[in-house]
Amino acid sequence: MEAFSHRSLLDIEGLTRADVERILDTAEAFLQVSRRPVRKVPTLRGKTVINLFYEASTRTRTSFELAGKRLSADVINMSVSASSVNKGETLQDTCRTLEAMHPDVIVIRHSASGAASYVASKIACSVINAGDGMHSHPTQALLDAFTIRREKGTLDNLVVTIVGDIAHSRVARSNAHLLNLFGCEVRVVGPRTLLPVAVDSLGVRVFDRLEEALEGALRGVALSIGEGIRKSGIDMLLGEMEQAKALLDPRRAPAPSLAASTGKITGERTVVDVAPLTKVVECLFDLTGFVAGAAHFLRQLAFAVGAACQSGESESSGRRLRGFRAIGPRLVS
């Protein structure tokens, strides 16, 4: 097999099928290290790894820290909240500071799409993208592929359904690109408001109903509703979605209930958990329920406007309109 020729791991689009297979094969060998009484090998002895996380993270940062230490690297976790970023230091300034320390690897997570590529262009060491904005999350996609391959023995020609907030998900994009390398049929399902513009360009099939998207699929990837959706101004969907039935309810899906643990097989389907399923809400909510909520909102709007028009007192009108705004955010903020 050809050697891995990339200095950094920035996205899946830059990898070939052979690159992915080499990474997964290497990970398979190192998995055995975590099963041994002494979980340490000297592979990265003398190397320095800096974890630079601009977003809050528990599992990802801890996983990188643990991996680095088990490979005998010197691992530094940089706390951005306690760094000079709070004094106005830019990402470019941070790159210059870190470059002067001569690290070997920088693992970065940032809320801005393209941040990892920017850092890689400014610094000489290897850069690993642990998630940048809504763009890419290559390490999570590789982990999902690793889990599926271990359970099913192959990644070739599978049918994989991704359920959830596709529009704001870097994981969905990376998974779609990786699975397409292996000839998989990738399906996405969710409310149209949570699907990106030109979603077909990801090489996926788009579904509106969960049952249809799961038909014939042996794998499912559940996405969480994160802060990105709240910041995007579409909180109006959350109230409806949180009232929906649990994801992949056994009364709606033909197979037994899918477990919340990563990669656990139930029936003939696998769920690759990319977020705590306690936070996952069903993304294909009942459209009629949403329309009913919208109709209720419009009735309240008509009532408030009508009341304001009938009243000659501006102060009274202001009170009515303020009262309307108090009930509005659930649907419009």
Side-chain angles (χ1 to χ4, degrees), residues 200-224:
D200 296 338
S201 64
L202 295 175
V204 300
R205 292 184 60 194
V206 182
F207 289 80
D208 294 312
R209 296 194 58 79
L210 182 61
E211 294 86 348
E212 296 173 0
L214 289 175
E215 185 176 353
L218 298 181
R219 321 286 180 272
V221 179
L223 303 175
S224 69

Side-chain angles (χ1 to χ4, degrees), residues 14 18 27 59 63 89 96 111 172 176 216 231 246 266 321:
R59 292 170 301 155
S63 296
E89 181 179 87
R96 290 173 177 171
S111 59
K231 293 178 182 177
T266 59
L321 290 176

Side-chain angles (χ1 to χ4, degrees), residues 52-284:
L52 180 60
F53 278 61
Y54 284 81
E55 289 184 332
S57 173
T58 300
R59 292 170 301 155
T60 303
R61 189 177 71 171
T62 302
S63 296
F64 274 108
E65 180 181 2
L66 187 60
K69 290 181 176 179
R70 287 184 176 178
L71 295 173
S72 300
D74 298 317
V75 181
I76 300 172
N77 291 320
M78 181 175 169
S79 177
V80 173
S81 61
S83 71
S84 294
V85 172
N86 289 329
K87 298 188 295 183
E89 181 179 87
T90 65
L91 184 57
Q92 182 175 359
D93 295 333
T94 302
C95 289
R96 290 173 177 171
T97 300
L98 298 180
E99 176 75 0
M101 300 177 183
H102 302 288
D104 298 285
V105 180
I106 291 179
V107 181
I108 181 170
R109 168 173 285 187
H110 201 284
S111 59
S113 299
S117 297
Y118 177 81
V119 171
S121 70
K122 298 294 182 181
I123 203 164
C125 70
S126 298
V127 176
I128 296 178
N129 183 4
D132 61 332
M134 296 184 292
H135 170 236
S136 184
H137 198 341
T139 56
Q140 181 63 63
L142 289 165
L143 178 60
D144 293 344
F146 182 77
T147 301
I148 293 174
R149 193 178 76 158
R150 278 189 59 82
E151 295 293 348
K152 294 300 181 181
T154 183
L155 287 173
D156 291 317
N157 304 315
L158 302 177
V159 179
V160 181
T161 299
I162 303 177
V163 185
D165 178 12
I166 312 298
H168 303 90
S169 175
R170 53 197 176 203
V171 175
R173 285 173 172 79
S174 293
N175 268 317
H177 287 302
L178 188 150
L179 293 169
N180 282 330
L181 291 175
F182 292 85
C184 295
E185 178 186 328
V186 182
R187 302 173 178 177
V188 297
V189 57
R192 285 290 173 173
T193 47
L194 298 185
L195 296 177
V197 176
V199 62
D200 296 338
S201 64
L202 295 175
V204 300
R205 292 184 60 194
V206 182
F207 289 80
D208 294 312
R209 296 194 58 79
L210 182 61
E211 294 86 348
E212 296 173 0
L214 289 175
E215 185 176 353
L218 298 181
R219 321 286 180 272
V221 179
L223 303 175
S224 69
I225 305 300
E227 278 301 310
I229 183 175
R230 293 177 173 85
K231 293 178 182 177
S232 68
I234 50 177
D235 293 274
M236 65 181 192
L237 295 176
L238 295 179
E240 303 294 339
M241 294 169 69
E242 288 170 353
Q243 295 174 14
K245 294 182 180 180
L247 179 66
L248 303 180
D249 190 302
R251 290 170 295 180
R252 301 180 62 194
S257 177
L258 294 169
S261 58
T262 299
K264 183 173 180 180
I265 301 298
T266 59
E268 294 184 350
R269 295 198 180 120
T270 305
V271 161
V272 181
D273 177 25
V274 298
L277 286 185
T278 56
K279 296 182 181 179
V280 174
V281 295
E282 180 164 357
C283 294
L284 192 70

